[in-house]
Amino acid sequence: MPPDMQDMRIPMLAAAAAVLLAACNTVQPTAVPASSAGTTTAPPTTTTSSSPTPVHDRWKPKFETARGPASSATVCAPLVVQSQECAKYLTRIVLVATDLQAELKGKPAYAKTYELVRQVVDAGSAFGNERCREGAGTFEMCQAHVVGVLIGSLSVTASLEAEDLAAP
């Protein structure tokens, strides 16, 4: 790969991460059909079930809250990746990942997700170890850790959902 293309790879990954984050955090409003406007429906009946809430249903909202709206990811944009604001943003996500890691430990049904969570936690640790928040570390390394946390956290929620669906 030519040297000028290698220099563009990390910023392009960061841009891709921001786009993916924006796409995953976009909420589509549901339109009410005109034929049902003004009509009332009975509230859904609640049934008590002995089956626990799927892990994905409990953890996806926690990750979404930690990531915040898509505009939040701009605190880790390429020009400001080595900043306190970026470090605080990543810390919120890594803390959720650490909590999930503790819950999934020793659960074979979630082995793939556990590995993905470990990678997110490791990327967050590496960001701190490189002292990226202090402007230390290379830009490329710090940006790679940011991508690891952001894309990794999206992968974790997708993997959780897949493993929940595969569960008996």
Side-chain angles (χ1 to χ4, degrees), residues 61-128:
K62 293 177 183 184
F63 276 104
E64 288 174 345
T65 299
R67 285 189 299 259
S71 60
S72 297
T74 60
V75 300
C76 290
L79 295 177
V80 293
V81 69
Q82 294 171 302
S83 68
Q84 291 288 329
E85 291 79 19
C86 182
K88 289 177 187 174
Y89 178 69
L90 295 179
T91 299
R92 290 194 323 248
I93 298 168
V94 172
L95 287 174
V96 172
T98 302
D99 290 345
L100 176 58
Q101 186 177 37
E103 181 175 326
L104 297 182
K105 187 173 185 173
K107 293 184 178 178
Y110 293 98
K112 180 181 176 189
T113 301
Y114 184 83
E115 177 59 25
L116 292 171
V117 171
R118 188 193 59 74
Q119 292 172 13
V120 170
V121 172
D122 288 352
S125 295
F127 185 88

Side-chain angles (χ1 to χ4, degrees), residues 4-160:
D4 59 333
M5 289 300 290
Q6 288 178 345
D7 293 340
M8 292 295 296
R9 189 171 53 203
I10 297 295
M12 288 175 18
L13 282 173
V19 169
L20 284 172
L21 187 59
C24 289
N25 285 337
T26 303
V27 176
Q28 298 291 331
T30 305
V32 176
S35 62
S36 66
T39 62
T40 60
T41 58
T45 58
T46 8
T47 58
T48 53
S49 172
S50 61
S51 62
T53 303
V55 176
H56 172 264
D57 290 352
R58 288 185 285 117
W59 286 94
K60 183 180 179 185
K62 293 177 183 184
F63 276 104
E64 288 174 345
T65 299
R67 285 189 299 259
S71 60
S72 297
T74 60
V75 300
C76 290
L79 295 177
V80 293
V81 69
Q82 294 171 302
S83 68
Q84 291 288 329
E85 291 79 19
C86 182
K88 289 177 187 174
Y89 178 69
L90 295 179
T91 299
R92 290 194 323 248
I93 298 168
V94 172
L95 287 174
V96 172
T98 302
D99 290 345
L100 176 58
Q101 186 177 37
E103 181 175 326
L104 297 182
K105 187 173 185 173
K107 293 184 178 178
Y110 293 98
K112 180 181 176 189
T113 301
Y114 184 83
E115 177 59 25
L116 292 171
V117 171
R118 188 193 59 74
Q119 292 172 13
V120 170
V121 172
D122 288 352
S125 295
F127 185 88
N129 293 340
E130 295 279 339
R131 298 187 1 241
C132 294
R133 75 174 54 218
E134 300 158 16
T138 66
F139 166 79
E140 290 80 11
M141 287 303 298
C142 294
Q143 189 65 44
H145 302 319
V146 167
V147 170
V149 171
L150 295 179
I151 297 297
S153 70
L154 294 170
S155 298
V156 164
T157 55
S159 179
L160 269 178

